[in-house]
Amino acid sequence: GFVEGEGSLWASINQVPKSRLGIQINVGFAVYQQEGGLALLRSLRDYFHTGRVYLKPGSSDVWVFEINDRRSLTEKVIPFFEQYVLPFSCKFVAVGNATGTFWHFKQLLSLFEQKKHLDKQGLIECVTVVYKTNQLSKGKPRKRTLQETIDLIESHG
């Protein structure tokens, strides 16, 4: 329950005009704690043997443990979720009849492993999956609609 309550699986899309396809997708797993939970975040780093602990930018007392290396996410975080989080989770599994964030996140990592993000059609497939994860992250929609993001990719270079 701790990771479900204090953690997140995230995927962000950034417009990078100088990149080959104009869009970059970043993914990660993060757990947040006030300064009193700093030892717990360090123990997560020790458990996973990867990631980093840092002070959240713009905050004086919120700390973050984060893994954003795709290989570590696939080899360490996904199995951890499957064994320890999913059997007890509702947040990551499903909301209503929709497939939950975890499954979209896992699908996205699989697409990266298949190198789908390296060509326009594959990147559009990846972006479509990203838009299914955390549809209202922090209660707000994404900056661009899915179609606007697809248009950026199709019109780039």
Side-chain angles (χ1 to χ4, degrees):
F2 173 75
V3 167
E4 182 176 27
E6 304 299 326
S8 68
L9 296 171
W10 57 265
S12 66
I13 300 170
N14 299 307
Q15 187 175 2
V16 184
K18 292 183 179 181
S19 69
R20 196 165 56 85
L21 297 173
I23 295 290
Q24 181 181 38
I25 299 173
N26 297 306
V27 291
F29 163 63
V31 179
Y32 305 87
Q33 284 289 290
Q34 301 285 354
E35 192 165 352
L38 194 51
L40 183 57
L41 296 180
R42 289 183 178 132
S43 70
L44 283 170
R45 183 187 58 206
D46 294 344
Y47 174 84
F48 285 107
H49 300 287
T50 189
R52 64 188 187 114
V53 175
Y54 61 92
L55 187 61
K56 183 178 177 181
S59 174
S60 61
D61 66 344
V62 176
W63 290 80
V64 182
F65 164 69
E66 182 176 61
I67 299 173
N68 55 17
D69 172 72
R70 291 179 188 158
R71 185 175 192 175
S72 294
L73 291 167
T74 298
E75 294 177 0
K76 297 177 180 188
V77 175
I78 294 297
F80 173 83
F81 264 74
E82 289 174 334
Q83 184 170 358
Y84 298 112
V85 180
L86 295 185
F88 313 102
S89 178
C90 56
K91 171 180 161 183
F92 293 107
V93 178
V95 178
N97 292 326
T99 303
T101 295
F102 173 79
W103 305 109
H104 296 303
F105 190 80
K106 185 175 176 180
Q107 179 186 11
L108 184 59
L109 289 173
S110 175
L111 291 170
F112 286 138
E113 283 183 27
Q114 297 169 50
K115 307 220 180 284
K116 295 280 190 170
H117 62 294
L118 299 178
D119 65 64
K120 282 187 180 187
Q121 279 313 114
L123 184 59
I124 289 170
E125 186 178 352
C126 293
V127 164
T128 301
V129 172
V130 170
Y131 271 79
K132 293 177 183 177
T133 65
N134 295 333
Q135 293 181 17
L136 287 177
S137 178
K138 299 180 184 174
K140 298 180 272 185
R142 294 187 178 270
K143 291 178 187 176
R144 291 177 291 278
T145 66
L146 173 58
Q147 189 57 55
E148 289 170 334
T149 303
I150 290 171
D151 292 345
L152 281 172
I153 295 167
E154 289 178 338
S155 67
H156 191 77

